[in-house]
Amino acid sequence: MTNCQEDFIDTLVDDLSNIVASLGINRVAGQLYILLFFSQEPLSLDEMTKRLKISKGHVSTNIRALERWNAVRKIWVKGSRKDYYEANCDTLKIILIQLKLGLNQRFDELDKIINNGKNKIESIKKNNTQESIEVTLDFEKKIKQVEKMEKELRRLLDALKFFPF
Amino acid sequence: MTNCQEDFIDTLVDDLSNIVASLGINRVAGQLYILLFFSQEPLSLDEMTKRLKISKGHVSTNIRALERWNAVRKIWVKGSRKDYYEANCDTLKIILIQLKLGLNQRFDELDKIINNGKNKIESIKKNNTQESIEVTLDFEKKIKQVEKMEKELRRLLDALKFFPF
DNA sequence: TAGAACGTTTGAAATATATTAAATATTGAG
DNA sequence: CTCAATATTTAATATATTTCAAACGTTCTA
């Protein structure tokens, strides 16, 4: 591979991984994915280590995270004992699946918190002073507002599947 | 305010701020917003400091971040020189506006990177060997793929405004 | 206009996260 | 099976982030 080709990819790796990192995704995972995305051939851990100038362990850990997300896959290369990887280039699908997974987890947590809140409101209602009635009314209103927001967000997330990609 | 009311809110602040923090938003900003969201009265910096058991400076810095996001507003309380704040309870709108802002910024960066890449491809093409032709074809294909993905994501983001909230 | 009551900034300390090099475990060609 | 080539884990180090206390600046009141 000529030098200007590697330069082309390396520049993209640097620039694009900045965006990835700014979105809260591990920078090294981003670098690895981008490197593989633009490479014409699968790369071994050693090659990735050399290209990104980071430690072998670091590459190993992060490539397996990418594997878990189905963002890269291991490729068998005859006559070599090394693990080679190539990118799954369906980037948008990977992003949306991960997004959905992450948000659904949070929604489930939120459900627990909301139920907890509702139970507490019931028990406050038992100490049935005039003051407590007013206060619980307000709490109830606000908990319902949170519930409504969650419902809307769930619906929004669900609607992604109708989007014509 | 009775103790069980403060307890009710404090528990929600703890639980919900975990979700907020797990989404990459500053935990203290989350705590402040949630505290104000469930409080029936505007709170002063001192009150927030006491409730969250964090330093005054910390509250000050984070409440102003929330103000910038239009997530809280300063309230004038007659006869007090303190700044009081209340939550803007339209949480979903706040989230979506911030999301849109953040992503549009990234899209603009991405545009620059893509253009850069295209220019580089043109200059590689000048060294017009058989090898370079094959390689640039592949680079072009992949850059186009990135472009397509950005277009789809922009469209998706834009479609939010048609969603019936 | 001085002093008190605030809010903000700052620089240092604590904490969390990322990164590495080296030790350990695993694998597959011979 | 064995051993050398790989991959993974780990424990330490470096780096980044969060947090605080104290200094500073501002504003209102008397």
Side-chain angles (χ1 to χ4, degrees):
Chain A
M1 203 194 246
T2 66
N3 229 31
C4 70
Q5 290 161 215
E6 283 203 7
D7 284 353
F8 179 81
I9 295 179
D10 288 352
T11 304
L12 281 171
V13 168
D14 287 354
D15 293 347
L16 292 175
S17 70
N18 278 333
I19 295 184
V20 170
S22 82
L23 291 167
I25 293 152
N26 188 302
R27 156 168 260 114
V28 172
Q31 289 174 303
L32 286 168
Y33 181 77
I34 297 160
L35 174 59
L36 292 174
F37 182 95
F38 285 101
S39 294
Q40 266 115 301
E41 309 290 341
L43 301 182
S44 69
L45 292 197
D46 277 348
E47 287 167 320
M48 295 186 256
T49 299
K50 211 161 95 189
R51 279 298 270 289
L52 300 181
K53 298 183 190 3
I54 59 181
S55 72
K56 200 166 48 140
H58 211 183
V59 171
S60 169
T61 304
N62 281 284
I63 205 78
R64 272 175 305 133
L66 287 171
E67 231 180 340
R68 252 179 283 123
W69 307 337
N70 195 35
V72 303
R73 49 182 157 256
K74 212 178 278 194
I75 293 292
W76 177 257
V77 172
K78 199 172 78 174
S80 170
R81 302 155 58 167
K82 295 185 182 179
D83 292 348
Y84 287 82
Y85 289 88
E86 70 177 15
N88 167 3
C89 287
D90 204 345
T91 315
L92 193 51
K93 195 172 174 186
I94 296 163
I95 292 173
L96 293 179
I97 287 176
Q98 280 314 115
L99 182 72
K100 202 160 187 169
L101 239 118
L103 288 181
N104 277 329
Q105 260 171 240
R106 269 85 182 211
F107 289 145
D108 293 347
E109 284 174 59
L110 189 52
D111 282 337
K112 280 185 217 150
I113 295 169
I114 288 172
N115 281 328
N116 232 289
K118 284 179 170 176
N119 291 337
K120 279 218 180 123
I121 289 171
E122 287 312 308
S123 73
I124 295 175
K125 271 183 173 168
K126 300 270 162 68
N127 325 328
N128 192 338
T129 63
Q130 180 55 43
E131 191 205 8
S132 82
I133 288 171
E134 276 172 36
V135 169
T136 51
L137 273 179
D138 190 71
F139 283 162
E140 270 173 343
K141 195 187 86 193
K142 282 168 176 166
I143 286 280
K144 266 183 200 140
Q145 208 178 325
V146 175
E147 248 182 327
K148 188 183 158 216
M149 185 183 76
E150 186 197 330
K151 213 171 283 173
E152 286 172 338
L153 279 169
R154 276 194 192 263
R155 212 153 46 85
L156 184 57
L157 195 62
D158 238 40
L160 281 183
K161 66 165 165 283
F162 299 118
F163 207 74
F165 291 119
Chain B
M1 203 195 244
T2 67
N3 229 31
C4 70
Q5 288 160 219
E6 285 202 6
D7 285 353
F8 178 80
I9 295 179
D10 289 352
T11 304
L12 282 171
V13 168
D14 288 353
D15 292 348
L16 292 175
S17 69
N18 278 333
I19 294 185
V20 169
S22 83
L23 291 166
I25 293 153
N26 186 302
R27 159 168 258 113
V28 172
Q31 288 174 302
L32 286 168
Y33 180 77
I34 297 160
L35 175 57
L36 292 174
F37 182 95
F38 285 101
S39 295
Q40 265 113 305
E41 310 290 341
L43 301 181
S44 69
L45 292 198
D46 277 348
E47 286 168 320
M48 293 186 258
T49 299
K50 213 161 94 188
R51 278 299 269 292
L52 300 181
K53 297 184 192 0
I54 58 178
S55 73
K56 200 167 47 138
H58 210 184
V59 171
S60 169
T61 305
N62 282 283
I63 204 79
R64 273 175 305 132
L66 286 171
E67 232 179 339
R68 252 179 283 125
W69 306 338
N70 195 36
V72 304
R73 49 184 157 253
K74 213 179 274 192
I75 293 293
W76 176 259
V77 172
K78 202 171 77 175
S80 170
R81 355 218 286 231
K82 294 185 180 177
D83 293 348
Y84 287 80
Y85 289 88
E86 69 176 17
N88 168 3
C89 287
D90 205 344
T91 316
L92 192 50
K93 197 173 172 184
I94 297 163
I95 292 172
L96 293 179
I97 286 175
Q98 281 313 115
L99 182 72
K100 201 161 187 169
L101 239 118
L103 288 181
N104 277 328
Q105 260 170 239
R106 269 85 182 212
F107 290 145
D108 293 347
E109 284 174 60
L110 188 53
D111 282 337
K112 280 186 219 151
I113 295 169
I114 289 171
N115 280 327
N116 232 288
K118 285 178 169 177
N119 290 338
K120 278 218 181 126
I121 289 171
E122 286 313 309
S123 73
I124 295 175
K125 271 182 173 170
K126 301 270 164 68
N127 323 331
N128 193 339
T129 63
Q130 180 56 42
E131 190 204 8
S132 82
I133 288 170
E134 274 172 37
V135 170
T136 51
L137 274 179
D138 190 70
F139 283 162
E140 270 173 342
K141 195 187 86 193
K142 281 170 178 168
I143 286 280
K144 266 184 199 138
Q145 209 178 326
V146 175
E147 248 182 327
K148 187 182 159 217
M149 185 183 74
E150 186 197 331
K151 213 171 282 173
E152 287 172 335
L153 279 170
R154 277 194 191 264
R155 214 152 46 85
L156 186 57
L157 195 61
D158 237 41
L160 282 185
K161 66 165 166 283
F162 299 119
F163 208 74
F165 290 118

